Amino acid sequence: MKRHIVSIIFLCVICLVGCKIEEPHGNNKDGFQENKVEVSLNSGEVEYPKSKEEEYPVNGVKFYFDEGCTAYRNGEYEAAVKALKMSVLMDGKKEYITQSYTVLGHCMTELGDMENAEVYYKKALETGNDTAMCYNNLGLYYRKCNDYKKAEENYLQAIEADKTYSEALSSLGVLYALIGRTEESVALLEQAIEYSTKPRPEYDANLAYSYAAMGQIEKARESLAIAREKGYAEEKCEIVSACIDEFEEEFKKELIPTPNLTEIPQQKKGIVIAIDPGHQAK
């Protein structure tokens, strides 16, 4: 029962930790290209400002793509959908098609339209670009829908497309942690850390959980310390730390010998010892 509770806590952790649906690559730190034209999207209306064409020497496809990504980051999902659909319609050269479908999938997920989210993630995959990323996003989508079998299938496809792809290695590692395949989880998360090209403290935090689930408490605390050093948010560290403490207590209890109640002890003079050998102590 306690392990079930710890697993529930871990589900909360991974919602904070990472394994986010992956965003397309770009030029800035958020993974999107910088938007050079300021246009309000609060109303959901997007118009191409021809008067600013000199300031924005690119085609309308990129403009709508950038506007859609900006709206998505700002939580304006309906406005983002409108802009990104325009980008798709105008993208005759298919320059931004994979990214547009990907972010459309993100928007639909945020809007709770899971059916169309799946459609867009599959369309992104069908473009044949960034295959590993697209499979990983589909895997994350299915995990969000609690379809762990399909999630695993897509993660494995992502890893097959790129065996050093840290995002998919981490995603599969988290999935295996959730379903109790902790040894495999540890191996995958260690690989994710090894192949990652930038510090990813959430990988170390998830590894800490998997170590703890195996009973390797010291290694778990070491991994959590590394996550902290890499800048992992303290409130998230506290959640992972609580999981480690829970596992430590559980494993300690498992090490305490259980009395053999089927053997009735000798009765001492003047003392009546009543033991039901058919029931174990709880």
Side-chain angles (χ1 to χ4, degrees), residues 39 169 185 214:
V39 177
L169 291 165
S185 172
M214 290 177 64

Side-chain angles (χ1 to χ4, degrees), residues 152-170:
E152 180 186 23
E153 289 171 358
N154 280 276
Y155 293 150
L156 289 170
Q157 289 276 19
I159 294 168
E160 184 178 339
D162 184 352
K163 290 181 172 54
T164 64
Y165 188 45
S166 65
E167 291 285 347
L169 291 165
S170 172

Side-chain angles (χ1 to χ4, degrees), residues 40-43 68 70-81 107:
S40 173
L41 291 176
N42 292 330
S43 63
T70 299
Y72 169 74
R73 287 201 304 270
N74 292 337
E76 299 167 353
Y77 303 120
E78 292 180 358
V81 168
C107 291

